Every structure is written in structure tokens, then in C-alpha cells.
Amino acid sequence: MKFGKIDYLNLLPFHVFLKRSPLQSYVKKAIEHKKGVPSKLNGALCRRQIDAAVISSIESRRVKYKKLNFGIVAKKSVKSVLVRKNSLSKLDSASASSNMLSKILGLKGEVLIGDRALRAYINEGSENFYDMGEIWHKKQGLPFVFGRFCYIKNGSTYEKLVNSFLSKNIKIPRYILEKYSKTRQISPENIRWYLKFISYKMGKKEQKALRIFIQKARELRFDPS
């Protein structure tokens, strides 16, 4: 198994689950060496340097990937995928889906994603940002899928892992919250608050929303091979 790990708070419950899972210790250690931002994992999976990852939802469109019904989903607002108001337009090199979503929504300004965006939202105030998950929901009446679990091999193993994770309510120990709080400069209370906006199971609404997003991206001439 060569699983790539998005090193953001939005997948913290899954990372806690993996630590507790019966995976062999060398596999768990390898996961820590194959972590990065979504755009990095998109490339690693495309080049087969890893065999599975939660990648940008826009990249999950590639026909060579097998998909599982596990994603990074915002039912409404998301707090960590933003466009800064009254700023020069600037895309975030860490993301593919969020950059495309900003274009689809017609938002002008600096795109911020992940823990950096969440920290800015908390420290600078919600009034300074457009929350792209919230705006998408207002326009479509649907959740938004920012990332999706894709793989190219070891499918049965990943499917068992994902199904097990989705069937559990993962509680994050205080010591882990404090560890991430120090490295991300976000309080444990705000981490808990933030995770309430994130879900992972992709049902019919989520799959419909992703299809609409892909179609709108195609209209803007995005067409992954």
C-alpha cells in the first residue's frame, strides 16, 4: 500500500482512524512520508508514485482512477476554502478544485484553502472572505465535494478501510488536538468547531453536486485526460 495523505485538518478524523487501524506499522510510517497538499498528491497519483489518495475532486474525473464514496464534503459553509474580498486575484497553488470553483462562482480575489485559510478566517473575521462552500450551496442547493478518495490498485483493501471509517464516529483525543493546535496555530476548540462543517460520505446529493461541478468546469474548457 502506498497511500498519500493530505496534511490538512479537514482529514484529521481519518488520520486518527488510520493510526488506530490494524494496518502494519511500516504502512503507517510510509503514509507519513507521502503527505502533502492536494495538488502534490494529484501529481503523485497521476504518476503512480502512490496508489491511492484523497485528491482534488476536479482531478478525480480522470477515467484511469477508481473512486470510492468517500470525499471531503461541505454541506453548506466550509470555513477553509475562501476568496479574500477586495484583493488582487491570485490562485492557490495547493489546490485545483478550489481554483476552478472560484472561476465557476465568478469570485475575484485571492484564493485560500486548508489550514491557512481557516486560520485567516478565524483571525481576520468572516466579513473579509467569501466562503465558497456557502456560495455554491446558495446557488445549487447542494453540498460541495472538495476532494474524493481515488485509487489505482489495492482496491479491496482501501474499500474495507473506507467503509470501516464511514461506519464509525471518530473521537479525536485531546493530546492530538493540542499537537495540531501548536503546529497549525489554531485552538483545539476551533479545530473541533471547524470539523462540524466537514463530512465524508458521498451519497446521491454529493455525487450529483460533483457531476454539476465537473460539467461547469468542462464549460470553462477544463478537460482532464
Side-chain angles (χ1 to χ4, degrees), residues 22-168:
L23 290 174
Q24 293 177 308
S25 60
Y26 77 89
V27 174
K28 295 180 182 180
K29 289 180 181 178
I31 290 172
E32 291 301 314
H33 291 291
K34 295 180 175 66
K35 62 185 179 183
V37 299
S39 59
K40 178 181 177 181
L41 296 184
N42 293 346
L45 187 62
C46 188
R47 294 187 295 271
R48 297 179 177 266
Q49 294 169 338
I50 55 177
D51 52 43
V54 179
I55 63 171
S56 299
S57 59
I58 196 76
E59 289 294 311
S60 72
R61 174 64 180 83
R62 294 181 185 273
V63 296
K64 63 182 177 181
Y65 297 147
K66 304 288 194 304
K67 293 92 174 175
L68 297 178
N69 288 327
F70 167 30
I72 302 171
V73 179
K75 296 297 185 184
K76 294 182 180 179
S77 59
V78 65
K79 316 301 182 188
S80 63
V81 182
L82 313 170
V83 173
R84 191 188 297 276
K85 296 178 180 178
N86 304 315
S87 64
L88 295 175
S89 293
K90 182 181 178 182
L91 300 180
D92 192 317
S93 62
S95 175
S97 295
S98 303
N99 291 336
M100 178 56 67
L101 182 57
S102 71
K103 295 176 182 178
I104 289 171
L105 296 176
L107 298 175
K108 304 297 183 182
E110 180 187 5
V111 176
L112 295 89
I113 75 157
D115 301 346
R116 179 172 74 103
L118 176 60
R119 189 165 54 248
Y121 184 93
I122 293 168
N123 294 338
E124 299 176 33
S126 60
E127 67 276 7
N128 293 305
F129 300 96
Y130 298 109
D131 184 315
M132 285 196 270
E134 183 176 24
I135 294 173
W136 171 268
H137 185 268
K138 286 180 180 178
K139 289 178 176 289
Q140 300 294 334
L142 291 167
F144 191 82
V145 180
F146 289 95
R148 188 170 190 180
F149 195 110
C150 295
Y151 68 91
I152 52 177
K153 60 187 294 188
N154 296 316
S156 60
T157 300
Y158 288 121
E159 188 169 4
K160 288 177 183 176
L161 269 179
V162 164
N163 289 340
S164 179
F165 169 70
L166 293 176
S167 69
K168 290 178 168 58

Side-chain angles (χ1 to χ4, degrees), residues 2 6 31 85 99 113 133-134 141 152 167 169 175 183 189 199 203 205 225:
K2 296 180 181 178
I6 291 180
I31 290 172
K85 296 178 180 178
N99 291 336
I113 75 157
E134 183 176 24
I152 52 177
S167 69
N169 180 23
Y175 79 92
T183 58
E189 292 71 27
S199 60
K205 283 187 177 181
S225 57

Side-chain angles (χ1 to χ4, degrees), residues 9-21:
L9 289 171
N10 55 24
L11 276 177
L12 182 55
F14 187 56
H15 301 159
V16 171
F17 165 78
L18 289 176
K19 286 181 180 293
R20 296 172 178 170
S21 73

